Amino acid sequence: MYNFDEMIDRGNTNAMSTDGFRGYIFGADDSMKFPYKDEEFIRMWVADMDFATPQVIIDAIKERLDRRIFGYTRILSDSYYNAFVDWCIRRYEWSFERKHLVMSNGIIPALFELVEYICKPEEKVIFLTPSYAYFKYAADYNHRECVCSDLINDNGRYHIDFDDFERKAANEKTTLLILCNPHNPTGRVWTEEELRRLGDICVKNDMWIISDEIHCDLLRMGKKHIPLAKLFPEYDKLVTCMAPSKTFNTAGLMLSNIIIPNEKLREIWLSRHYNFDNPLSVAGSQAAYEKGEHWLEELRVYLDNNFIFTRDYLAENLPKAIFEIPEATYLAWINVSAYFNKNENLPKFFAYKAGVLLEGGDMFVQNSDCFIRLNLACPKPVLAEGLKRICDAINTKQEKTAESDTHQLAN
Ligand SMILES: Cc1ncc(COP(=O)(O)O)c(C/N=C2\CONC2=O)c1O
């Protein structure tokens, strides 16, 4: 049994979660003041977890430390590949060739590089919205135009608007789809039928696909992830991105798996990318895939319970909020449009009025007005306090609005 209720102090560890929120959420510097001390905030924003990384990862890093030399390192032996491909076979019945695997110190930097290598300057990048903003940033940074295909929100359950996507994909200048599966922020896990339909449209239009599957291990119990490449094994204009970082809370170890079957693109990557890795990250990540499964299964149960608690708490205390437990991720995507209008700055409201740090819909490109995204990967007592503060702040706001309306009517 692992103790996910353990409260771990992240102070003075250069954590974005505790020390980077002013810049990332508010574009402000450290002079930005709040009616809460930094350590009083309930942090539900950046997507890393407040749970200790599995001991098997820590032990592997300690073991590598004892070798005492940390010179230039690259994944040269097959042991990391064997650990990761065995993981994919066990969990997704999918495998790939050793030579197709290249490493990146993050999926974000991989996206920035791959957009440049794949898309010509006048070409466009399409993705489904709302979207993780770095899909847009990867296109913007490379001066490639973004094309957004809004998902259809059917009272909290999201679907792909295939007519819209097909129409936009038919533009010959739209040459790359960045797919997010499971989808951040909605938490959808695309079905085989949806994936085949999306992939067929891309194949028909001779498009490249980057399938960002970083959240694929963090499924609700009973849900199944299908790697897109498993459905299109012969289509080599398809790059798959996975990583241990979301699954095992090792984003700071900066090691991601990029699977590039297309030989020409892989050669460009290997000639342009800085192909060295941190030896501690390699040791820890290999141990994650070799020995981390039991921890992951217990984490999934804990997260499922956090989601059930959140659903029930909101139903009782914020009945007009619309929230569906997502099929994957540890992120709760909540429609609070009954309580806010779309020009209100939600991260600011909750930071000042509730002492909660969260991400607002406006941080997810478009098709996201009046949403908040909560990171539920925290000890349940912290989650309970965060939800209480959020609901109290909104209900206080409602009461004040009702009072001022009554006052206006009386005069
Ligand atoms: C879909 C997706 N791709 C890539 C990344 C980052 O990959 P990395 O560069 O760390 O390997 C994230 C992290 N998502 C975050 C991180 O903080 N808030 C989020 O929504 C993500 O959600």
Side-chain angles (χ1 to χ4, degrees):
M1 275 300 281
Y2 299 94
N3 179 12
F4 294 107
D5 286 327
E6 183 186 3
M7 311 284 267
I8 299 175
D9 176 15
R10 296 182 67 176
N12 301 312
T13 63
N14 290 304
M16 278 296 288
S17 180
T18 52
D19 298 359
F21 64 89
R22 286 179 174 82
Y24 190 95
I25 301 175
F26 304 106
D29 63 25
D30 287 351
S31 66
M32 183 175 186
K33 296 290 178 246
F34 297 91
Y36 294 87
K37 290 184 190 142
D38 283 13
E39 59 273 20
E40 291 174 334
F41 278 113
I42 301 290
R43 294 168 285 103
M44 306 180 89
W45 68 283
V46 68
D48 66 18
M49 301 195 264
D50 272 359
F51 305 129
T53 287
Q55 192 58 40
V56 290
I57 293 177
I58 296 168
D59 292 345
I61 292 172
K62 285 179 179 170
E63 194 178 322
R64 181 60 185 81
L65 277 171
D66 290 343
R67 301 297 300 274
R68 297 183 298 145
I69 296 180
F70 309 105
Y72 290 109
T73 300
R74 183 178 288 173
I75 290 183
L76 298 166
S77 82
D78 286 345
S79 50
Y80 177 84
Y81 163 74
N82 291 336
F84 177 47
V85 78
D86 288 350
W87 176 271
C88 291
I89 292 166
R90 262 196 328 275
R91 298 188 73 89
Y92 308 116
E93 297 164 350
W94 174 64
S95 67
F96 47 88
E97 291 181 45
R98 168 75 180 82
K99 65 180 181 181
H100 294 174
L101 176 63
V102 298
M103 307 311 296
S104 174
N105 58 12
I107 290 181
I108 293 173
L111 294 178
F112 278 56
E113 290 186 54
L114 288 167
V115 167
E116 182 197 346
Y117 304 158
I118 290 171
C119 289
K120 297 183 184 66
E122 72 283 0
E123 293 177 347
K124 305 175 185 192
V125 181
I126 188 168
F127 46 87
L128 306 174
T129 35
S131 170
Y132 180 51
Y134 276 88
F135 289 9
K136 180 178 186 309
Y137 300 160
D140 292 349
Y141 175 83
N142 286 293
H143 309 295
R144 271 57 171 184
E145 190 180 330
C146 293
V147 179
C148 297
S149 180
D150 284 354
L151 293 171
I152 298 166
N153 178 3
D154 180 6
N155 201 29
R157 179 157 173 87
Y158 284 81
H159 303 278
I160 297 167
D161 183 342
F162 282 103
D163 294 340
D164 179 72
F165 181 80
E166 183 147 32
R167 183 165 40 79
K168 290 172 178 173
N171 181 328
E172 62 182 13
K173 290 293 184 193
T174 304
T175 54
L176 170 63
L177 161 67
I178 304 181
L179 173 67
C180 194
N181 180 33
H183 186 256
N184 174 7
T186 66
R188 269 302 316 272
V189 176
W190 306 119
T191 65
E192 179 169 349
E193 183 198 357
E194 290 168 322
L195 290 170
R196 286 192 183 284
R197 200 165 166 195
L198 209 57
D200 286 344
I201 292 168
C202 292
V203 170
K204 185 173 79 175
N205 290 287
D206 193 28
M207 288 169 66
W208 282 88
I209 309 167
I210 298 173
S211 185
D212 180 339
E213 304 181 9
I214 193 171
H215 294 276
C216 68
D217 298 320
L218 294 163
L219 301 167
R220 293 296 74 78
M221 284 308 177
K223 296 299 177 186
K224 184 169 179 283
H225 172 74
I226 304 170
L228 184 66
K230 181 178 175 186
L231 302 178
F232 294 87
E234 302 313 316
Y235 194 64
D236 80 347
K237 295 176 75 170
L238 167 49
V239 178
T240 302
C241 303
M242 290 181 174
S245 50
K246 274 293 169 283
T247 312
F248 298 104
N249 203 24
T250 58
L253 294 185
M254 300 171 73
L255 193 77
S256 307
N257 309 306
I258 315 295
I259 296 116
I260 308 179
N262 180 282
E263 195 151 348
K264 188 162 172 292
L265 178 63
R266 194 167 64 244
E267 280 166 11
I268 295 171
W269 175 280
L270 290 171
S271 64
R272 294 276 305 273
H273 183 80
Y274 183 72
N275 286 297
F276 291 99
D277 300 302
N278 178 319
L280 302 180
S281 306
V282 173
S285 302
Q286 181 175 321
Y289 288 126
E290 288 172 342
K291 305 171 189 169
E293 206 144 18
H294 186 252
W295 179 91
L296 173 60
E297 291 314 308
E298 287 203 15
L299 170 72
R300 292 175 64 202
V301 171
Y302 194 89
L303 290 176
D304 278 18
N305 288 330
N306 275 5
F307 274 106
I308 291 164
F309 177 79
T310 300
R311 178 198 62 199
D312 297 348
Y313 190 92
L314 292 176
E316 185 174 343
N317 297 283
L318 212 59
K320 291 189 277 186
I322 301 171
F323 169 61
E324 283 272 316
I325 292 180
E327 296 169 306
T329 83
Y330 44 68
L331 305 164
W333 183 241
I334 305 166
N335 180 339
V336 290
S337 55
Y339 301 100
F340 294 93
N341 57 56
K342 67 180 195 175
N343 55 27
E344 293 183 80
N345 183 321
L346 299 184
K348 223 170 216 176
F349 173 84
F350 288 104
Y352 280 98
K353 302 293 186 187
V356 173
L357 298 174
L358 52 77
E359 298 199 5
D362 61 334
M363 298 167 74
F364 293 90
V365 184
Q366 66 181 53
N367 192 26
S368 50
D369 288 341
C370 297
F371 275 81
I372 54 175
R373 194 194 73 172
L374 303 183
N375 176 342
L376 303 193
C378 59
K380 186 172 171 191
V382 174
L383 170 61
E385 174 63 15
L387 290 172
K388 181 181 183 312
R389 291 189 190 185
I390 287 169
C391 293
D392 289 353
I394 292 177
N395 289 324
T396 302
K397 175 179 183 289
Q398 292 293 94
E399 285 155 19
K400 284 183 177 164
T401 306
E403 276 166 26
S404 82
D405 291 352
T406 308
H407 182 68
Q408 280 173 8
L409 281 174
N411 292 334

